[in-house]
Amino acid sequence: MEALVGSLFSAGERVLVPVGGKFGRRWVEICGAFGVEVMTLELEVGEAPSPEEIRNHLNNAADIVAVLLTHSETSTGCLTDLRSIGPVIKDVGIKQGRKIICCADCISSLCVDELSKDEWDIDCAIAASQKGLLAPPGLAFVCLSSEALSRMKTRASSGYYFDLRRYYDDVCRSPFTPAVSLVRAVRESLRYLLSLGLDNVVGANRSAAEGLRRIVEHAQFRLVARQSSNAVVAFWLDGVDPLAAARLLREEHGIVVAQGQGETLSGRILRVSPIGKSKSSLLAFGRAFEATMAKLGREFALDDIMEELDRTLEGSRLWESQR
Ligand SMILES: *Cc1c(COP(=O)(O)O)cnc(C)c1O
């Protein structure tokens, strides 16, 4: 994210950033560090920006050079409709006789939710090794359109290690010592994921996310996101202590779930990731969740929806068959 902002935009230029959670906010903070001006589009928690909102904001400000989006907002589990928004950004640019660069943080969506960078007119997509790629943390990937590339080449350089021009000039090697062990780990991951088939992988993550949402809703908790991503299922714990629930899940069942991040969400929600979870581990989560919630005074019986889960979770058998 930092390499992209530092390599593509100059201090004083203005970008549009929809903020629906911690990672949208991070774009704003990084821009601040580089003196890049930001027009924010503040969203309700769990909301994604609509194509109309983006169009209106761009129509009202002819000096916006780029829109920085968050495909899957991991703090809320909300998915942004890039398929509709990319073409809107391109269209406004054409009408205004200029190029508006569309950037998307796809760190938790690559291999997890459907993503079609070129068809959806995304100029810059970024990803990282530790989410849908199922590898250790430490590597980031940046993919640029020819328009983004020509913008990058005309900027005065800023930064050193994170100046993307250095990597572009030396594209088949690396300008600095690369994290060789991580590159190899990602290669193994990619071989595995491609042997399963990318569509099947996305399908397995979708099926796991649907199953998790069904368990949570059956326990009568409300989802945070209006438009759900497959990367994380976040839900309000109304009346139940999320810290106590997370502690019981960890200590009694060996299951780690994440807390909410930031002022509005910390201490109020839990987040569970479906990425790469097999059918049996999802059912084990369901049972552990059932037992944990019963201890905390919220009774529900998974038996009632077992048949339904059996069907919903079928896709996530993928992870079991290939081990
Ligand atoms: C994980 C993630 C990042 C990277 O965050 P780190 O704090 O560096 O792990 C950025 N954006 C999104 C949407 C993410 O899910």
Side-chain angles (χ1 to χ4, degrees), residues 8-321:
L8 253 68
F9 310 117
S10 308
E13 284 190 311
R14 202 148 78 114
V15 299
L16 173 64
V17 183
V19 179
K22 176 180 156 151
F23 293 103
R25 183 78 56 206
R26 188 171 293 177
W27 275 132
V28 176
E29 289 168 3
I30 292 172
C31 287
F34 285 91
V36 174
E37 310 258 335
V38 178
M39 173 193 262
T40 55
L41 195 177
E42 297 286 342
L43 302 160
E44 297 287 326
V45 169
E47 293 273 9
S50 71
E52 296 71 37
E53 282 174 297
I54 299 282
R55 187 185 290 281
N56 290 339
H57 276 72
L58 291 176
N59 279 339
N60 292 331
D63 61 338
I64 300 282
V65 300
V67 183
L68 310 187
L69 299 158
T70 310
H71 191 198
S72 164
E73 174 53 76
T74 319
S75 63
T76 64
C78 189
L79 190 73
T80 294
D81 180 7
L82 292 185
R83 186 201 299 270
S84 309
I85 291 176
V88 161
I89 295 171
K90 184 176 179 181
D91 182 56
V92 175
I94 289 171
K95 287 193 175 128
Q96 294 181 355
R98 64 208 187 85
K99 173 68 192 170
I100 303 171
I101 301 278
C102 172
C103 301
D105 167 352
C106 301
I107 291 175
S108 64
S109 64
L110 185 71
C111 299
V112 177
D113 278 287
E114 199 188 340
L115 172 61
S116 200
K117 176 188 164 291
D118 295 340
E119 272 171 48
W120 299 355
D121 297 316
I122 315 289
D123 294 291
C124 314
I126 59 172
S129 49
Q130 78 269 36
K131 308 270 169 84
L133 290 179
L134 307 177
L139 287 187
F141 309 93
V142 182
C143 186
L144 301 177
S145 67
S146 52
E147 279 106 337
L149 215 61
S150 44
R151 168 170 258 277
M152 180 181 87
K153 286 179 183 160
T154 59
R155 296 295 99 182
S157 88
S158 77
Y160 189 85
Y161 275 100
F162 281 180
D163 183 350
L164 289 179
R165 269 157 294 233
R166 293 182 197 276
Y167 297 82
Y168 186 72
D169 291 342
D170 208 359
V171 78
C172 288
R173 289 176 290 154
S174 172
F176 312 109
T177 311
V180 183
S181 49
L182 293 174
V183 173
R184 285 183 165 250
V186 169
R187 183 174 66 177
E188 287 311 305
S189 260
L190 286 174
R191 281 181 177 159
Y192 172 57
L193 293 172
L194 293 174
S195 77
L196 296 176
L198 194 52
D199 288 345
N200 295 334
V201 166
V202 171
N205 286 324
R206 182 188 306 117
S207 134
E210 278 168 7
L212 275 179
R213 282 196 292 273
R214 193 60 194 103
I215 292 171
V216 162
E217 285 178 331
H218 188 67
Q220 309 221 313
F221 292 112
R222 287 175 304 127
L223 298 172
V224 177
R226 269 351 114 71
Q227 293 152 270
S228 299
S229 98
N230 296 332
V232 64
V233 174
F235 52 97
W236 300 101
L237 262 265
D238 320 285
V240 177
D241 177 6
L243 278 172
R247 190 180 325 112
L248 284 172
L249 281 169
R250 192 181 65 243
E251 288 174 1
E252 300 191 349
H253 306 277
I255 291 174
V256 178
V257 297
Q259 297 289 323
Q261 303 160 298
E263 224 170 88
T264 4
L265 297 177
S266 125
R268 299 186 62 198
I269 69 166
L270 281 182
R271 296 178 302 139
V272 185
S273 174
I275 298 175
K277 301 296 190 320
S278 65
K279 178 168 178 165
S280 55
S281 66
L282 290 161
L283 288 175
F285 168 80
R287 289 298 178 202
F289 191 56
E290 188 182 25
T292 299
M293 285 303 146
K295 274 201 174 170
L296 296 172
R298 178 76 69 110
E299 302 271 350
F300 73 97
L302 211 55
D303 290 341
D304 301 350
I305 56 162
M306 221 45 192
E307 266 184 42
E308 188 191 320
L309 284 179
D310 222 43
R311 267 178 287 117
T312 325
L313 296 176
E314 200 47 43
S316 45
R317 269 199 195 287
L318 181 77
W319 305 116
E320 272 152 14
S321 59

